[in-house]
Amino acid sequence: MAEKTIPLLPCHTPLMADVVAFYEALGFITTLRQTSPYAYAVVERDDVELQFFGMKEYDPAASYSGAYVLTGDVDGMHSAFRAGLKAAYGRIPSRGLPRIGPVKDMSYGVRQFLVTDPTGNSLRIGQPTGEKGADGTIPPAPKEPFERALHHAVLFADSKEDLPAAARVVRRALDRTDRTPTAVQLLKLLVLGGDIAQRQGDGAAARELLARAGAVPLSAEEREAVRDDLARLAELTDTAV
């Protein structure tokens, strides 16, 4: 048979049932459940297989474990995951554990989103966009200040998941007085800032940034360029607290 890599992911033992239920909500099928002599579970979805081993002494909030899943339909998978979570939880969790993030075009050549399970494991679901160099290298960060800020803020927020660092980058860019961003850049910064604030639980800051984003005038061509951001704006506005 062909070789296959299967991630082995830690799970806080008391949360094993919650983790299995979470992946079943995403469309995975449980193919193994073991409680003795130690907790273990296997879930599968098409060609993706994940295995979980129980750990009694494990802090989900401090987890750094995860796996990368490449797909040919990242938007379809994102929609399916969101629908499954909505059906299972009555809402789409966007912060805390579990959670699912927005789908975005990343600077390293993939369109991706992150989903994190109840025990802190993060799956990065990505689809190659063909934007890497011929030698596989990633293009350098843009030199234009606002494009550079967006580049770094998105990496911090939606790749590393370092929300405080992302918020600092966005705030510095929005506070600049020596330069003025384009309408597209401003819209992107405000939506990203509102998204980060909401994920951090700062409802007041999120509402303020999202309201500013909604007031940015855009041409039809500009609206097409920020289609993902406008969709995220509409979603965040509906769920702002």
Side-chain angles (χ1 to χ4, degrees):
M1 63 178 290
E3 291 82 4
K4 181 178 180 180
T5 299
I6 301 173
L8 304 179
L9 302 172
C11 176
H12 186 43
T13 301
L15 293 177
M16 184 66 80
D18 294 335
V19 168
V20 169
F22 173 80
Y23 284 97
E24 288 179 345
L26 299 184
F28 285 77
I29 297 173
T30 302
T31 57
L32 184 147
R33 277 293 305 274
Q34 173 182 292
T35 57
S36 178
Y38 51 87
Y40 205 90
V42 179
V43 298
E44 299 181 44
R45 185 183 192 274
D46 298 327
D47 292 332
V48 180
E49 179 176 335
L50 305 173
Q51 300 192 10
F52 301 90
F53 58 93
M55 294 179 64
K56 293 181 180 179
E57 302 298 328
Y58 186 76
D59 181 5
S63 175
Y64 291 96
S65 56
Y68 206 112
V69 177
L70 289 177
T71 178
D73 183 14
V74 68
D75 288 279
M77 210 164 175
H78 187 249
S79 296
F81 280 14
R82 284 169 54 87
L85 292 174
K86 180 72 176 292
Y89 293 92
R91 62 185 179 86
I92 300 172
S94 61
R95 64 177 186 265
L97 296 175
R99 64 181 179 270
I100 186 170
V103 61
K104 290 187 176 180
D105 292 316
M106 307 301 292
S107 60
Y108 42 85
V110 295
R111 181 170 172 78
Q112 76 169 30
F113 68 94
L114 275 62
V115 59
T116 304
D117 68 25
T119 201
N121 297 303
S122 287
L123 296 187
R124 299 167 186 265
I125 315 294
Q127 180 176 356
T129 60
E131 294 177 2
K132 290 183 181 179
D135 59 355
T137 58
I138 297 171
K143 293 184 178 180
E144 197 281 327
F146 294 107
E147 291 299 325
R148 188 178 184 86
L150 284 164
H151 169 87
H152 289 305
V154 168
L155 286 178
F156 277 126
D158 296 306
S159 186
K160 191 180 180 184
E161 290 194 296
D162 185 343
L163 297 181
R168 287 193 296 271
V169 173
V170 172
R171 185 166 56 249
R172 284 197 298 266
L174 290 173
D175 287 345
R176 293 191 69 143
T177 58
D178 60 326
R179 293 172 180 265
T180 301
T182 66
V184 164
Q185 291 169 336
L186 180 59
L187 185 284
K188 285 177 172 286
L189 285 165
L190 290 169
V191 172
L192 181 57
D195 191 349
I196 293 166
Q198 187 154 314
R199 283 191 257 174
Q200 291 180 308
D202 189 345
R207 288 192 298 273
E208 188 266 333
L209 290 164
L210 296 174
R212 289 174 60 188
V216 175
L218 297 169
S219 67
E221 183 178 357
E222 288 169 334
R223 293 184 69 84
E224 179 61 25
V226 294
R227 181 173 50 185
D228 284 347
D229 304 274
L230 290 174
R232 186 62 173 165
L233 172 60
E235 178 186 352
L236 291 168
T237 300
D238 287 342
T239 58
V241 295

